[in-house]
Structures are given as C-alpha cells and as structure tokens.
Amino acid sequence: MILSHISLRDIGTALLDPVLPRRCVVCGRDLLLKEHYICTACLAGLPETFFWLLPHNPMADRFNAMIQKDLPDGATEPYSYGVSLFFYRGESLYRLITPHLKYGHGISCGRFFATLLAERMSEAGHFGDIDWVVPVPLHWTRRVRRGYNQAEVIARTLAEGLGAQLHCRVLLRSRHTRSQTHLSVTDKLTNVAGAFRVRPGYAPGAAPRHILLVDDVFTTGATMNACRNALRERFGPEVRISAATLAFVDT
C-alpha cells in the first residue's frame, strides 16, 4: 500500500539525495522525499500577503499612486490590481527565495512558487478576466549571462494557471539599466524611465482587456510602472494593466 504512493520520480530522488542533497531554500536543511524546494515547516510559516483576496491592498495602492502621478490632468484608467505571494523582509530568511530563482539557476523552484501564487489568484474573481500575461523583459546582455529571464519563468506558470495568453515578446528593454537593489526611490524612477517599449511591428491579433505584468519582486513599483507606460502607448485606457510578483518588499 505504501509502495503504491511512491513514483519513479520519488525513487530517482531518493537515489540522488545522498549524492546531490536537496536543501530548503529558506532554512537550508535537507528535504524529505515528498518535499520540494522548501521544507514543510518553512512552507507553513511562509509570510503570505493574502493580497489576492483584496482588490485594494498595499501593493495595488502603491502601484496606483505611482500611475496617478504620470496621468495627464483629468485622465483616468481602470484601477490596477496588485498581488504578491509573500512579504520580503530584510531580516527574514524568506528573502532567500527570489535570489535563488534569479542567481541560483532555480527555474523549477520559480515554477513551484509561481504555481502557489497561480492557485491563489485563480480563487479571486477580479483576476478572472486576465487574458494577457507579460513578463518584465531583461536586457539581452543580462539574459545571455543568466541564461533565462526569471520573470518569464513566473509569467509562464501564471499564464498556464489562469488560462491566459503568454506574451513574452511584446515588451522590449531598449537600454541596459543598473540593478535597482541599492538605489533610492528617486534613482529607481530615473534608472528605468524610458527603458521599455513595445516591440516594433508586434501584432498579436485581438487587443487584450486585462494585462498582467509579472516580475519577481515589487519594491517601489518603478519598473512595473515603466513597463505600464510603454504598454499604455499601444493600448488605450480601457485596458486594465495589473501587476504580480512572487515577493512584495514590506517597507
């Protein structure tokens, strides 16, 4: 009876664990057979935001406040929803999840956590009309060095989970930008201003109703807003543009 619950993958994992031990990305302890990327204890303690339950939440409000500053006088557009899986706090070991995805070749790890976010978003009615999922693009030089775009890893999983179209080529990062990690709020805005544009000649067919922009971490919203500005030049104010990330920096 017990053996019937053990798959060939489990057998392979059990054989490889002594040679290539799998460790929790948060606490670093060895994982048990049925654990993946994060141990049961750390998963139970994941500081979830529950933003998917609230159309108006701290991430959405921060994003919309930035959008309002860029709107011409008298202009309006649909409220942008915002959602993240967990809080990113400097003193918490959970902050190690996103660097592992970005720098530790953790593509499958990114899919795992993105699946958790997709499951939660699919339960919320205000994400039900998303028809495009668009990852924040990397500059081509950074993508070559890294080998993949972590935002695209997350976006692909969210698109599958939400039944939406994935559009990885609609946005182009037209110039290389500095890392946002240690910049001030003002410097972050300057760093990414005008860094994105819609790819020339991109013609996907029917226009979307609701676009979901995807990145790994939401801090000030500067990068998301720069991408939103680029999309807004192509799509009118009737198209809602929302944001999703794995982590939200709780400042």
Side-chain angles (χ1 to χ4, degrees), residues 98-133:
T98 50
H100 181 81
L101 167 60
K102 189 181 296 186
Y103 305 115
H105 302 288
I107 294 177
S108 56
C109 177
R111 291 176 183 147
F112 174 83
F113 286 103
T115 298
L116 296 182
L117 179 58
E119 290 172 351
R120 286 149 178 77
M121 290 178 65
S122 64
E123 298 171 358
H126 52 287
F127 293 116
D129 64 344
I130 290 172
D131 42 11
W132 278 30
V133 178

Short mmCIF file of all heavy atoms in Angstrom, two decimals, residues 98-133:
data_model
loop_
_atom_site.label_atom_id
_atom_site.label_comp_id
_atom_site.label_asym_id
_atom_site.label_seq_id
_atom_site.Cartn_x
_atom_site.Cartn_y
_atom_site.Cartn_z
N THR A 98 13.85 34.57 -3.72
CA THR A 98 13.98 35.23 -5.03
C THR A 98 15.42 35.26 -5.55
O THR A 98 15.62 35.07 -6.75
CB THR A 98 13.37 36.64 -5.01
OG1 THR A 98 13.87 37.37 -3.88
CG2 THR A 98 11.85 36.54 -4.90
N PRO A 99 16.45 35.47 -4.72
CA PRO A 99 17.81 35.36 -5.25
C PRO A 99 18.14 33.97 -5.77
O PRO A 99 18.89 33.82 -6.73
CB PRO A 99 18.70 35.72 -4.05
CG PRO A 99 17.84 36.55 -3.18
CD PRO A 99 16.45 36.00 -3.34
N HIS A 100 17.56 32.94 -5.15
CA HIS A 100 17.78 31.58 -5.62
C HIS A 100 17.22 31.41 -7.03
O HIS A 100 17.85 30.78 -7.90
CB HIS A 100 17.13 30.57 -4.68
CG HIS A 100 17.34 29.15 -5.10
ND1 HIS A 100 18.49 28.44 -4.84
CD2 HIS A 100 16.54 28.29 -5.79
CE1 HIS A 100 18.41 27.23 -5.34
NE2 HIS A 100 17.23 27.11 -5.93
N LEU A 101 16.05 31.99 -7.27
CA LEU A 101 15.45 31.92 -8.60
C LEU A 101 16.29 32.71 -9.61
O LEU A 101 16.51 32.26 -10.73
CB LEU A 101 14.03 32.48 -8.56
CG LEU A 101 13.34 32.78 -9.90
CD1 LEU A 101 13.23 31.52 -10.75
CD2 LEU A 101 11.98 33.40 -9.66
N LYS A 102 16.79 33.87 -9.18
CA LYS A 102 17.48 34.77 -10.11
C LYS A 102 18.92 34.35 -10.39
O LYS A 102 19.38 34.41 -11.52
CB LYS A 102 17.45 36.19 -9.55
CG LYS A 102 17.94 37.25 -10.52
CD LYS A 102 17.90 38.64 -9.89
CE LYS A 102 16.51 39.08 -9.55
NZ LYS A 102 16.46 40.48 -9.06
N TYR A 103 19.62 33.93 -9.34
CA TYR A 103 21.05 33.68 -9.49
C TYR A 103 21.46 32.22 -9.26
O TYR A 103 22.58 31.84 -9.53
CB TYR A 103 21.84 34.56 -8.52
CG TYR A 103 21.54 36.02 -8.66
CD1 TYR A 103 20.93 36.73 -7.63
CD2 TYR A 103 21.85 36.71 -9.83
CE1 TYR A 103 20.65 38.09 -7.75
CE2 TYR A 103 21.57 38.06 -9.97
CZ TYR A 103 20.97 38.74 -8.92
OH TYR A 103 20.69 40.08 -9.05
N GLY A 104 20.55 31.41 -8.74
CA GLY A 104 20.90 30.04 -8.42
C GLY A 104 20.41 29.03 -9.43
O GLY A 104 20.33 27.84 -9.13
N HIS A 105 20.07 29.50 -10.64
CA HIS A 105 19.55 28.61 -11.69
C HIS A 105 18.34 27.83 -11.18
O HIS A 105 18.19 26.64 -11.46
CB HIS A 105 20.64 27.66 -12.18
CG HIS A 105 21.85 28.38 -12.71
ND1 HIS A 105 21.85 29.06 -13.90
CD2 HIS A 105 23.08 28.57 -12.17
CE1 HIS A 105 23.03 29.61 -14.10
NE2 HIS A 105 23.80 29.35 -13.07
N GLY A 106 17.47 28.52 -10.44
CA GLY A 106 16.33 27.85 -9.84
C GLY A 106 15.07 27.96 -10.65
O GLY A 106 14.04 28.43 -10.15
N ILE A 107 15.12 27.57 -11.92
CA ILE A 107 13.95 27.69 -12.78
C ILE A 107 12.79 26.85 -12.24
O ILE A 107 11.66 27.32 -12.13
CB ILE A 107 14.29 27.27 -14.23
CG1 ILE A 107 15.29 28.26 -14.83
CG2 ILE A 107 13.03 27.19 -15.08
CD1 ILE A 107 15.75 27.90 -16.23
N SER A 108 13.06 25.61 -11.90
CA SER A 108 11.98 24.75 -11.39
C SER A 108 11.48 25.25 -10.05
O SER A 108 10.30 25.11 -9.72
CB SER A 108 12.45 23.30 -11.29
OG SER A 108 13.62 23.19 -10.49
N CYS A 109 12.37 25.86 -9.26
CA CYS A 109 11.96 26.45 -7.99
C CYS A 109 11.01 27.61 -8.24
O CYS A 109 9.99 27.76 -7.55
CB CYS A 109 13.20 26.92 -7.23
SG CYS A 109 12.86 27.76 -5.66
N GLY A 110 11.31 28.43 -9.24
CA GLY A 110 10.43 29.53 -9.59
C GLY A 110 9.05 29.05 -10.01
O GLY A 110 8.03 29.64 -9.64
N ARG A 111 9.02 27.97 -10.76
CA ARG A 111 7.73 27.40 -11.17
C ARG A 111 6.93 26.92 -9.96
O ARG A 111 5.70 27.07 -9.92
CB ARG A 111 7.97 26.24 -12.13
CG ARG A 111 8.52 26.64 -13.49
CD ARG A 111 8.82 25.42 -14.33
NE ARG A 111 9.43 25.78 -15.61
CZ ARG A 111 10.30 25.03 -16.24
NH1 ARG A 111 10.68 23.86 -15.72
NH2 ARG A 111 10.81 25.40 -17.40
N PHE A 112 7.63 26.35 -9.00
CA PHE A 112 6.96 25.85 -7.81
C PHE A 112 6.24 26.98 -7.07
O PHE A 112 5.04 26.88 -6.76
CB PHE A 112 7.98 25.18 -6.88
CG PHE A 112 7.42 24.76 -5.55
CD1 PHE A 112 6.74 23.56 -5.42
CD2 PHE A 112 7.57 25.57 -4.44
CE1 PHE A 112 6.22 23.17 -4.19
CE2 PHE A 112 7.04 25.19 -3.20
CZ PHE A 112 6.37 23.99 -3.08
N PHE A 113 6.95 28.08 -6.81
CA PHE A 113 6.33 29.18 -6.07
C PHE A 113 5.32 29.92 -6.92
O PHE A 113 4.30 30.41 -6.40
CB PHE A 113 7.42 30.12 -5.53
CG PHE A 113 8.17 29.55 -4.37
CD1 PHE A 113 9.44 29.02 -4.54
CD2 PHE A 113 7.60 29.51 -3.10
CE1 PHE A 113 10.13 28.47 -3.47
CE2 PHE A 113 8.28 28.96 -2.03
CZ PHE A 113 9.56 28.44 -2.20
N ALA A 114 5.55 30.01 -8.22
CA ALA A 114 4.57 30.65 -9.11
C ALA A 114 3.28 29.85 -9.16
O ALA A 114 2.19 30.42 -9.29
CB ALA A 114 5.15 30.81 -10.50
N THR A 115 3.39 28.53 -9.06
CA THR A 115 2.19 27.68 -9.02
C THR A 115 1.36 27.98 -7.78
O THR A 115 0.12 28.04 -7.84
CB THR A 115 2.58 26.19 -9.06
OG1 THR A 115 3.26 25.91 -10.28
CG2 THR A 115 1.35 25.30 -8.95
N LEU A 116 2.03 28.19 -6.65
CA LEU A 116 1.31 28.56 -5.42
C LEU A 116 0.55 29.86 -5.63
O LEU A 116 -0.61 30.00 -5.22
CB LEU A 116 2.29 28.70 -4.26
CG LEU A 116 3.06 27.45 -3.81
CD1 LEU A 116 3.94 27.79 -2.61
CD2 LEU A 116 2.11 26.31 -3.48
N LEU A 117 1.21 30.84 -6.27
CA LEU A 117 0.56 32.13 -6.50
C LEU A 117 -0.61 31.98 -7.48
O LEU A 117 -1.68 32.56 -7.27
CB LEU A 117 1.57 33.14 -7.04
CG LEU A 117 1.03 34.54 -7.36
CD1 LEU A 117 0.40 35.17 -6.13
CD2 LEU A 117 2.14 35.42 -7.91
N ALA A 118 -0.42 31.20 -8.53
CA ALA A 118 -1.49 31.00 -9.52
C ALA A 118 -2.72 30.36 -8.88
O ALA A 118 -3.87 30.73 -9.19
CB ALA A 118 -0.98 30.13 -10.67
N GLU A 119 -2.51 29.40 -7.99
CA GLU A 119 -3.62 28.75 -7.31
C GLU A 119 -4.42 29.75 -6.49
O GLU A 119 -5.66 29.71 -6.47
CB GLU A 119 -3.10 27.63 -6.40
CG GLU A 119 -2.55 26.43 -7.18
CD GLU A 119 -1.86 25.43 -6.26
OE1 GLU A 119 -1.65 25.76 -5.07
OE2 GLU A 119 -1.51 24.34 -6.74
N ARG A 120 -3.73 30.66 -5.83
CA ARG A 120 -4.41 31.65 -5.00
C ARG A 120 -5.13 32.69 -5.87
O ARG A 120 -6.24 33.11 -5.56
CB ARG A 120 -3.40 32.30 -4.05
CG ARG A 120 -3.00 31.35 -2.90
CD ARG A 120 -1.58 31.59 -2.44
NE ARG A 120 -1.21 30.72 -1.32
CZ ARG A 120 -0.92 29.44 -1.44
NH1 ARG A 120 -0.95 28.86 -2.62
NH2 ARG A 120 -0.58 28.73 -0.37
N MET A 121 -4.48 33.11 -6.96
CA MET A 121 -5.10 34.10 -7.83
C MET A 121 -6.34 33.55 -8.52
O MET A 121 -7.30 34.29 -8.77
CB MET A 121 -4.08 34.58 -8.87
CG MET A 121 -2.96 35.42 -8.31
SD MET A 121 -1.75 35.89 -9.59
CE MET A 121 -2.76 36.94 -10.65
N SER A 122 -6.32 32.28 -8.85
CA SER A 122 -7.46 31.68 -9.56
C SER A 122 -8.72 31.64 -8.69
O SER A 122 -9.83 31.49 -9.20
CB SER A 122 -7.11 30.27 -10.03
OG SER A 122 -6.88 29.40 -8.93
N GLU A 123 -8.53 31.80 -7.38
CA GLU A 123 -9.68 31.81 -6.47
C GLU A 123 -10.31 33.20 -6.36
O GLU A 123 -11.37 33.35 -5.77
CB GLU A 123 -9.24 31.34 -5.08
CG GLU A 123 -8.70 29.91 -5.05
CD GLU A 123 -8.07 29.55 -3.73
OE1 GLU A 123 -8.03 30.45 -2.83
OE2 GLU A 123 -7.61 28.41 -3.55
N ALA A 124 -9.61 34.23 -6.89
CA ALA A 124 -10.08 35.61 -6.76
C ALA A 124 -10.79 36.04 -8.03
O ALA A 124 -10.24 35.95 -9.13
CB ALA A 124 -8.90 36.53 -6.46
N GLY A 125 -11.99 36.54 -7.91
CA GLY A 125 -12.78 36.90 -9.07
C GLY A 125 -12.19 38.04 -9.89
O GLY A 125 -12.37 38.08 -11.11
N HIS A 126 -11.49 38.98 -9.26
CA HIS A 126 -11.02 40.15 -10.01
C HIS A 126 -9.84 39.84 -10.92
O HIS A 126 -9.42 40.69 -11.70
CB HIS A 126 -10.66 41.31 -9.05
CG HIS A 126 -9.73 40.96 -7.94
ND1 HIS A 126 -10.10 40.20 -6.86
CD2 HIS A 126 -8.43 41.28 -7.74
CE1 HIS A 126 -9.08 40.07 -6.04
NE2 HIS A 126 -8.06 40.70 -6.55
N PHE A 127 -9.30 38.63 -10.85
CA PHE A 127 -8.27 38.22 -11.80
C PHE A 127 -8.83 37.30 -12.89
O PHE A 127 -8.09 36.81 -13.74
CB PHE A 127 -7.13 37.49 -11.08
CG PHE A 127 -6.33 38.38 -10.17
CD1 PHE A 127 -6.31 38.16 -8.80
CD2 PHE A 127 -5.60 39.45 -10.67
CE1 PHE A 127 -5.59 38.97 -7.95
CE2 PHE A 127 -4.86 40.27 -9.83
CZ PHE A 127 -4.86 40.04 -8.46
N GLY A 128 -10.12 37.09 -12.87
CA GLY A 128 -10.73 36.13 -13.79
C GLY A 128 -10.74 36.55 -15.24
O GLY A 128 -10.91 35.70 -16.13
N ASP A 129 -10.60 37.86 -15.52
CA ASP A 129 -10.66 38.32 -16.91
C ASP A 129 -9.28 38.60 -17.51
O ASP A 129 -9.19 39.18 -18.60
CB ASP A 129 -11.54 39.57 -17.02
CG ASP A 129 -10.97 40.76 -16.26
OD1 ASP A 129 -10.09 40.56 -15.40
OD2 ASP A 129 -11.41 41.90 -16.52
N ILE A 130 -8.21 38.21 -16.83
CA ILE A 130 -6.87 38.41 -17.38
C ILE A 130 -6.72 37.58 -18.66
O ILE A 130 -6.95 36.37 -18.65
CB ILE A 130 -5.78 38.02 -16.36
CG1 ILE A 130 -5.74 39.03 -15.21
CG2 ILE A 130 -4.40 37.93 -17.02
CD1 ILE A 130 -4.84 38.63 -14.07
N ASP A 131 -6.37 38.23 -19.76
CA ASP A 131 -6.19 37.48 -21.00
C ASP A 131 -4.76 37.56 -21.53
O ASP A 131 -4.38 36.75 -22.37
CB ASP A 131 -7.18 37.93 -22.07
CG ASP A 131 -7.38 39.43 -22.14
OD1 ASP A 131 -6.61 40.17 -21.51
OD2 ASP A 131 -8.32 39.87 -22.82
N TRP A 132 -3.95 38.49 -21.04
CA TRP A 132 -2.53 38.55 -21.40
C TRP A 132 -1.69 38.53 -20.14
O TRP A 132 -2.00 39.23 -19.16
CB TRP A 132 -2.21 39.85 -22.14
CG TRP A 132 -2.51 39.88 -23.60
CD1 TRP A 132 -3.49 39.19 -24.26
CD2 TRP A 132 -1.84 40.67 -24.58
NE1 TRP A 132 -3.47 39.51 -25.60
CE2 TRP A 132 -2.46 40.42 -25.82
CE3 TRP A 132 -0.78 41.57 -24.53
CZ2 TRP A 132 -2.06 41.03 -27.01
CZ3 TRP A 132 -0.38 42.18 -25.71
CH2 TRP A 132 -1.01 41.91 -26.93
N VAL A 133 -0.60 37.76 -20.17
CA VAL A 133 0.40 37.80 -19.11
C VAL A 133 1.72 38.19 -19.76
O VAL A 133 2.18 37.54 -20.71
CB VAL A 133 0.53 36.43 -18.40
CG1 VAL A 133 1.63 36.49 -17.34
CG2 VAL A 133 -0.80 36.03 -17.77
#
